[in-house]
């Protein structure tokens, strides 16, 4: 229990999501680790106030995995994985353009994701009618890598003339 007698969730968390306190007092140096391996729970402490996180009624609209508090269409678990700010409307996609590859014209875009964000995965799906979705019909190319991030280019063929794409984020 923390110093107020509340549950340990009210304690400060280190980047791995471990409550770091002794007798209700935060441990010195608990926040020195970098972003690699940052837990979703710790990420929430950086972006949402303690009163919001403590309010179960706000899980669906503010701080929960599927919440989208700023209304940009990206759930919080996606913002966490794609290194975005859950309180600012933003797009994970960059450089949307027609590009040639293997002698074919493609609609391409890039996105960057954290290498080590435990507990969240992404999948890309395409559709021609918004009813049936598939994990096929596109190419994914690795275009850049740092110690903490990976950047991909996704290419969609311009034929058929109509297509849709979505990210699906999973939190086990």
């Amino acid at each position: 229990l923390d110093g107020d007698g509340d549950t340990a969730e009210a304690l400060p968390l280190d980047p791995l999501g471990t409550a770091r306190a002794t007798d209700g007092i935060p441990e010195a140096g608990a926040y020195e680790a970098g972003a690699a391996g940052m837990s979703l729970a710790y990420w929430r402490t950086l972006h949402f106030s303690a009163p919001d996180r403590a309010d179960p009624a706000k899980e669906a609209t503010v701080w929960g995995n599927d919440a989208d508090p700023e209304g940009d269409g990206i759930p919080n678990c996606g913002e966490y994985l794609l290194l975005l700010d859950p309180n600012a409307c933003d797009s994970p996609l960059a450089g949307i353009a027609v590009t040639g590859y293997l002698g074919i014209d493609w609609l391409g875009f890039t996105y960057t994701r954290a290498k080590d964000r435990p507990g969240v995965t992404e999948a890309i799906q395409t559709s021609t009618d918004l009813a049936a979705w598939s994990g096929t019909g596109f190419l994914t190319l690795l275009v850049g890598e740092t110690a903490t991030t990976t950047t991909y280019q996704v290419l969609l063929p311009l034929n058929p003339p109509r297509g849709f794409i979505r990210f699906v984020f999973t939190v086990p």
Side-chain angles (χ1 to χ4, degrees), residues 78-137:
E79 304 260 4
Y80 161 76
L81 185 69
L82 299 175
L83 304 166
L84 301 173
D85 182 346
N87 296 304
C89 290
D90 43 22
S91 172
L93 308 180
I96 298 174
V98 174
T99 186
Y101 182 72
L102 300 175
I104 301 170
D105 283 336
W106 304 78
L107 178 64
F109 66 88
T110 60
Y111 74 97
T112 300
R113 62 155 289 160
K115 279 187 175 179
D116 190 8
R117 291 288 167 107
V120 179
T121 59
E122 89 276 16
I124 298 172
Q125 297 180 341
T126 61
S127 175
T128 57
D129 61 8
L130 293 176
W133 292 90
S134 169
T136 63

Side-chain angles (χ1 to χ4, degrees), residues 158-163:
L158 290 177
N159 187 10
R162 181 174 73 170

Side-chain angles (χ1 to χ4, degrees), residues 1-8 10-12 19-27 31:
L1 296 178
D2 67 15
D4 296 331
D6 297 327
T7 61
L11 292 173
R20 300 296 299 264
T22 302
D23 297 324
I25 300 169
E27 294 176 5
Y31 309 102

